[in-house]
């Protein structure tokens, strides 16, 4: 679970303008942070099927947002991928 301070720090690091909280970059960054936390949880608790389902849903949602960003603005997509380190 992400604390409010952590979420605000992620928003601050990825926003495009001063009051930005809903741009694709911010949403993808928040999902990435939650995915990382849930991945750590799944390593400790491999039998937790409910959390695993939530993890897979979040990964799918992030994939859809990344596809949207890639279609609309490839430069923003590439910058975000590099910043978050999603692709290896």
């Amino acid at each position: 679970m992400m604390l409010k301070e952590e979420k605000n720090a992620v928003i601050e690091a990825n926003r495009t303008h001063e009051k930005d909280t809903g741009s694709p970059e911010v949403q993808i960054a928040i999902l990435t942070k939650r995915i990382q936390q849930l991945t750590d949880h799944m390593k400790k608790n491999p039998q937790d099927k409910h959390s695993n389902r939530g993890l897979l849903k979040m990964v799918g949602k992030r994939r859809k947002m990344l596809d949207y960003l890639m279609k609309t603005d490839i430069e923003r997509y590439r910058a975000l991928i590099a910043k978050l380190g999603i692709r290896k």
Side-chain angles (χ1 to χ4, degrees):
M1 187 168 150
M2 193 180 329
L3 298 175
K4 189 172 187 175
E5 295 82 25
E6 293 173 343
K7 187 173 181 180
N8 287 336
V10 170
I11 291 171
E12 289 288 324
N14 293 290
R15 65 185 184 183
T16 56
H17 56 83
E18 186 178 334
K19 295 188 177 197
D20 181 20
T21 58
S23 69
E25 290 92 342
V26 172
Q27 291 182 43
I28 292 168
I30 290 171
L31 276 173
T32 300
K33 178 74 172 171
R34 290 181 64 202
I35 288 169
Q36 290 169 349
Q37 290 175 344
L38 203 49
T39 301
D40 292 340
H41 170 78
M42 291 306 298
K43 286 178 183 173
K44 295 174 192 166
N45 305 290
Q47 295 297 317
D48 190 354
K49 302 301 181 193
H50 294 287
S51 294
N52 191 36
R53 181 174 187 269
L55 174 64
L56 293 175
K57 287 179 70 82
M58 279 190 261
V59 169
K61 190 171 189 177
R62 182 179 71 177
R63 176 75 258 157
K64 288 178 189 175
M65 285 186 195
L66 284 168
D67 289 343
Y68 166 77
L69 191 59
M70 186 169 50
K71 282 189 278 187
T72 56
D73 191 352
I74 192 72
E75 293 304 319
R76 284 171 53 193
Y77 170 79
R78 289 181 181 150
L80 185 64
I81 292 298
K83 185 174 186 180
L84 296 177
I86 295 174
R87 302 283 174 262
K88 302 288 185 215

